[in-house]
C-alpha cells in the first residue's frame, strides 16, 4: 500500500491518532513494536495559528517513528490551509485531516465529525489543505452523522476528487460515538466502489489477530488503523502485524510488557513533569490488559492509579511485577 510515494508495504497496520494518547513517546514505542505508520494527537488549526505552546509541541516528530502523519482539525478552509502549512514545516510524511472526532467540543463546533453535516464545507477544507501543501494529504472520517445519513460511499469519491491520497473510515456514525460495533460491511462497501482508486484504511474494534485477518481477507481494506486497543498495550502491534502477514504469532512475555509500561511512565515524566506525567500515563495503566488475570488485584490497582509520585507508583508496580512473574502467559492477554 502506498500513500503518495510512501510505501507502507503489504497489509500495513497503523497507530490511530488519539488525543492525550499518541504523543511522541507512545508513537515511537508503537513503531518499535511493529506499527507501520503513526499519527499525531489532534492538532487544532486555530490553536496552531495562534502559536499556542501546548499545540505546537504536538508537532514534534522523532525520525525513528517515520513514516508519520500530523493530523489537524478545524472548521474553516482558510484556517485549515494555514495550519497545514505550519504543520508541514515540521516535516511530517503526511498531513491528515480529522473529519471523524465525535466529541462535543469538536463536532459540536462544526469541526471533526461535525462536518459530516456540511459536506460542501468539508470538501472546501479538503481542497484548501491539498492546495496548501506539497505533502500527501489524507482524511479520517466516519460513516455519516447518524444511521439515517450514512454517506460514506459517495463522500469517499468526493474526497478523492479533492486530491486526497488515502482515506481512513471509522465504521461508526458520529451519533454512535464509540458505542455498538463498528460496521465493517460499510467499510467494505467503500473499498468495493470501482470508482475509488485511493487506498482505504479500515478502523474500529480491531483488537485481536482474528480481527485483523478478517479486515484484510473478508473486508478487503488496504490498511488497518488500530486505536483504543493499543492504549496500555503498545505491544499489540507486534502480534497484529504478524497475524496480518501470516507469520507465527509470538506474544511478548509479561516482563517485557511491564518494561514497556515503565518506559512510558519514565518518558512521560521526563517530557512533562513528575505529577502531570503520572496523570497523563494513568489512562494507559487503567486500560492495560497486562493486569488481567491477577487474583484480588483491585486494591493494588487502586493504589497504582492513585499514586501521585514516581516513588509511590514504582512501589505499586514492583508489587505487581512480583504477582505477574509466575502467571502463565495465557493468563495475561495482550488485548481486550
Amino acid at each position: 500500500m502506498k500513500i503518495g510515494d510512501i510505501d507502507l508495504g503489504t497489509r500495513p497496520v497503523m497507530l490511530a491518532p488519539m488525543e492525550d494518547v499518541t504523543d511522541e513517546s507512545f508513537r515511537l514505542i508503537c513503531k518499535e513494536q511493529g506499527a507501520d505508520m503513526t499519527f499525531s494527537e489532534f492538532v487544532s488549526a486555530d490553536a496552531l495559528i495562534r502559536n499556542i505552546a501546548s499545540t505546537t509541541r504536538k508537532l514534534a516528530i522523532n525520525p525513528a517513528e517515520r513514516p508519520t502523519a500530523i493530523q489537524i482539525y478545524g472548521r474553516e478552509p482558510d484556517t485549515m490551509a494555514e495550519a497545514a502549512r505550519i504543520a508541514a514545516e515540521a516535516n511530517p510524511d503526511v498531513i491528515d485531516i480529522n473529519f471523524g472526532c465525535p466529541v462535543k467540543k469538536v463536532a459540536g463546533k462544526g469541526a471533526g465529525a461535525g462536518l459530516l453535516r456540511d459536506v460542501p464545507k468539508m470538501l472546501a477544507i479538503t481542497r484548501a489543505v491539498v492546495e496548501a501543501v506539497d505533502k500527501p494529504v489524507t482524511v479520517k472520517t466516519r460513516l455519516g452523522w447518524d444511521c439515517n445519513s450514512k454517506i460514506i460511499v459517495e463522500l469517499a469519491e468526493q474526497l478523492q476528487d479533492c486530491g486526497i491520497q488515502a482515506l481512513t473510515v471509522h465504521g461508526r456514525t458520529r451519533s454512535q460515538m464509540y458505542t455498538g460495533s463498528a460496521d465493517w460491511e460499510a467499510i467494505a462497501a467503500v473499498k468495493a466502489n470501482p470508482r475509488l482508486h485511493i487506498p482505504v484504511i479500515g478502523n474500529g474494534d480491531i483488537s485481536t489477530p482474528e480481527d485483523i485477518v478478517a479486515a484484510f481477507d473478508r473486508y478487503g481494506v488496504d490498511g488497518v488503523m488500530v486505536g483504543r486497543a493499543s492504549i496500555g498495550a503498545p505491544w499489540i502491534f507486534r502480534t497484529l502485524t504478524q497475524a496480518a502477514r501470516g507469520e507465527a504469532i509470538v506474544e511478548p512475555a509479561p516482563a517485557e510488557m511491564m518494561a514497556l509500561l515503565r518506559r512510558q511512565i519514565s518518558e512521560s515524566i521526563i517530557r512533562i513533569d513528575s505529577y502531570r506525567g503520572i496523570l497523563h500515563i494513568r489512562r494507559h495503566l487503567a486500560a492495560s490488559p497486562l493486569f488481567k488475570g491477577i487474583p484480588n488485584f483491585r486494591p493494588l490497582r487502586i493504589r497504582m492509579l492513585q499514586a501521585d509520585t514516581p516513588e509511590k507508583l514504582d512501589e505499586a508496580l514492583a508489587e505487581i511485577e512480583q504477582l505477574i512473574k509466575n502467571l502463565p502467559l495465557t493468563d495475561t492477554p495482550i488485548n481486550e
Side-chain angles (χ1 to χ4, degrees), residues 11 209-221 224 243-246:
R11 296 187 163 195
E210 293 77 16
D211 293 336
I212 203 131
V213 170
F216 287 112
D217 290 350
R218 179 176 177 183
Y219 300 110
V221 293
V224 171
R245 290 154 198 173

Side-chain angles (χ1 to χ4, degrees), residues 115-262:
L115 284 156
L116 288 164
R117 293 194 293 182
D118 191 346
V119 172
K121 180 178 277 192
M122 178 191 287
L123 300 178
I125 288 172
T126 306
R127 285 191 293 269
V129 171
V130 169
E131 292 170 2
V133 298
D134 59 2
K135 294 182 178 294
V137 174
T138 58
V139 161
K140 186 171 188 287
T141 190
R142 290 183 169 231
L143 304 180
W145 179 258
D146 56 29
C147 63
N148 297 315
S149 58
K150 292 185 178 181
I151 59 173
I152 189 59
V153 173
E154 178 184 359
L155 178 61
E157 286 189 55
Q158 294 173 304
L159 290 167
Q160 175 180 257
D161 291 344
C162 291
I164 68 168
Q165 298 194 41
L167 174 67
T168 300
V169 180
H170 181 107
R172 289 181 174 86
T173 63
R174 187 274 172 179
S175 63
Q176 284 182 273
M177 300 293 285
Y178 296 101
T179 62
S181 299
D183 184 353
W184 277 81
E185 294 290 350
I187 298 173
V190 177
K191 177 59 186 174
N193 182 355
R195 293 182 295 276
L196 199 71
H197 308 296
I198 57 175
V200 174
I201 302 161
N203 174 229
D205 298 346
I206 298 293
S207 63
T208 69
E210 293 77 16
D211 293 336
I212 203 131
V213 170
F216 287 112
D217 290 350
R218 179 176 177 183
Y219 300 110
V221 293
D222 299 290
V224 171
M225 191 173 281
V226 178
R228 288 176 294 162
S230 70
I231 301 175
W235 51 82
I236 194 174
F237 287 99
R238 187 186 310 183
T239 52
L240 291 184
T241 54
Q242 290 169 345
R245 290 154 198 173
E247 300 171 0
I249 295 175
V250 181
E251 297 182 358
E256 186 177 359
M257 298 179 193
M258 179 62 84
L260 289 172
L261 291 181
R262 281 189 171 276

Side-chain angles (χ1 to χ4, degrees), residues 49-115:
I49 289 172
R50 296 200 309 270
N51 199 32
I52 303 299
S54 60
T55 297
T56 59
R57 282 196 292 268
K58 294 179 180 180
L59 302 182
I61 295 172
N62 188 317
E65 70 172 291
R66 293 185 183 278
T68 192
I70 291 176
Q71 189 190 73
I72 60 175
Y73 73 91
R75 57 186 179 182
E76 298 297 337
D78 291 346
T79 303
M80 285 287 281
E82 179 60 22
R85 283 189 284 267
I86 296 171
E89 292 176 0
N91 198 28
D93 299 283
V94 170
I95 298 291
D96 188 62
I97 306 175
N98 180 332
F99 290 144
C101 180
V103 300
K104 187 175 182 180
K105 69 177 182 178
V106 174
K109 295 180 179 179
L115 284 156

